[in-house]
């Protein structure tokens, strides 16, 4: 009986958040171990189903770096990273698109459907959702910088109680294909939708200070200081830049959370303490 009462209390503690977030749009960037480990994949899917059932409108943008690396290695195609971004030549771009828009996108969509959600897999090419130009004049090959987001397909899906699962692939002015960093893609979509929150699932606890401790709250000034001191560097830079872009465009908060923790989404969104870093 005591265990049952405790369970009821835990459920009730989430009620204020459920009331607050109902009918709001949450954009979730899904990647890292949560996208690879079978147990975490199923936990993520159940969490998303619960978010949808309590009235939150969920949009998922996914990465797929580990799968891409695996296929590039099998095909003996060289790949390198500069400033946390993958340099993508024409041969690599074909592999990236096949992996993200084909294999990974449909795996995630199928997983969500299996657990009771209604999900639809699409890429930034559909209905010209994501338009892009070459990033930094081609420094990164076919890596693109998003120039516009067309939200018609996304809003149509949400209106039909569907969860759009989006592969970060975009088209250029000449209909060339661009690989988009998934963090920046999630940021651009969240900004366009004026989402309540954007949540980045990663393989780290959040933003860590020089002492290795989690920094739970950040803003533009504190981020500038952490960059200048080298605490924020490498692959964390595009993730933090994506967070700043969101909050400066009207998104209420950007969260970086540890996707290796079971039910990390629920712990971050429906508890007072949370588990990650929040940028406002």
């Amino acid at each position: 009986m005591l265990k049952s009462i405790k369970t009821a209390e835990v459920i009730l503690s989430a009620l204020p958040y459920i009331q607050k977030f109902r009918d709001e749009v949450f954009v979730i960037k899904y990647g890292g171990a949560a996208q690879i480990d079978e147990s975490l994949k199923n936990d993520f899917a159940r969490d998303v189903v619960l978010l949808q059932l309590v009235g939150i409108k969920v949009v998922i943008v996914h990465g797929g770096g580990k799968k891409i690396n695996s296929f590039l290695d099998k095909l003996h195609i060289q790949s390198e990273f500069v400033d946390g971004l993958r340099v993508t030549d024409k041969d690599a771009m074909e592999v990236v698109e096949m992996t993200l828009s084909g294999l990974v996108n449909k795996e995630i969509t199928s997983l969500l459907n299996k657990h009771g959600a209604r999900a639809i897999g699409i890429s930034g090419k559909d209905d010209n959702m994501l338009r892009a130009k070459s990033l930094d004049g081609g420094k990164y090959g076919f890596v693109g910088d998003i120039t516009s987001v067309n939200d018609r397909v996304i809003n149509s899906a949400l209106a039909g109680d569907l969860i759009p699962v989006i592969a970060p692939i975009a088209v250029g002015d000449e209909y060339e294909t661009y690989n988009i960093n998934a963090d920046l893609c999630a940021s651009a979509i969240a900004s366009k939708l004026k989402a309540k929150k954007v949540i980045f699932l990663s393989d780290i606890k959040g933003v860590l200070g020089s002492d290795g401790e989690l920094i739970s709250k950040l803003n533009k000034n504190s981020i500038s200081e952490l960059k200048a001191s080298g605490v924020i560097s490498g692959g964390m830079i595009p993730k933090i830049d994506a967070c700043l872009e969101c909050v400066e465009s009207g998104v209420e908060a950007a969260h970086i959370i540890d996707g290796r923790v079971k039910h990390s989404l629920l712990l971050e969104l429906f508890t007072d303490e949370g588990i990650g870093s929040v940028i406002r």
Side-chain angles (χ1 to χ4, degrees), residues 112-175:
L112 290 167
N113 289 334
K114 172 186 173 183
H115 285 280
R118 296 184 60 230
I120 182 169
I122 52 181
S123 86
K125 281 185 161 183
D126 293 303
D127 196 31
N128 293 324
M129 182 199 312
L130 300 177
R131 301 302 293 263
K133 64 181 181 180
S134 182
L135 182 63
D136 282 357
K139 176 181 177 181
Y140 306 98
F142 285 92
V143 173
D145 182 22
I146 294 176
T147 56
S148 66
V149 177
N150 169 8
D151 59 1
R152 288 177 302 199
V153 169
I154 300 173
N155 285 324
S156 293
L158 294 175
D161 293 324
L162 290 166
I163 296 173
V165 180
I166 303 170
I169 301 294
V171 293
D173 291 339
E174 302 300 322
Y175 283 84

Side-chain angles (χ1 to χ4, degrees), residues 36-37 62 67 72 79 107 110 123 184 187 209 232 247 262:
I36 302 297
D37 181 272
H62 65 83
K67 288 267 178 81
L72 289 173
S79 183
E107 278 185 351
S110 179
S123 86
L184 298 176
S187 169
I232 294 177
V247 297
K262 289 174 66 69

Side-chain angles (χ1 to χ4, degrees), residues 197-211:
K197 293 182 181 291
V198 59
I199 303 126
F200 298 88
L201 268 72
S202 188
D203 285 348
I204 56 173
K205 293 180 181 180
V207 179
L208 305 180
S210 57
D211 58 359

Side-chain angles (χ1 to χ4, degrees), residues 173-194:
D173 291 339
E174 302 300 322
Y175 283 84
E176 65 274 36
T177 302
Y178 285 110
N179 177 25
I180 306 295
N181 175 273
D183 293 330
L184 298 176
C185 182
S187 169
I189 289 172
S191 298
K192 177 67 176 182
L193 295 174
K194 300 300 181 195

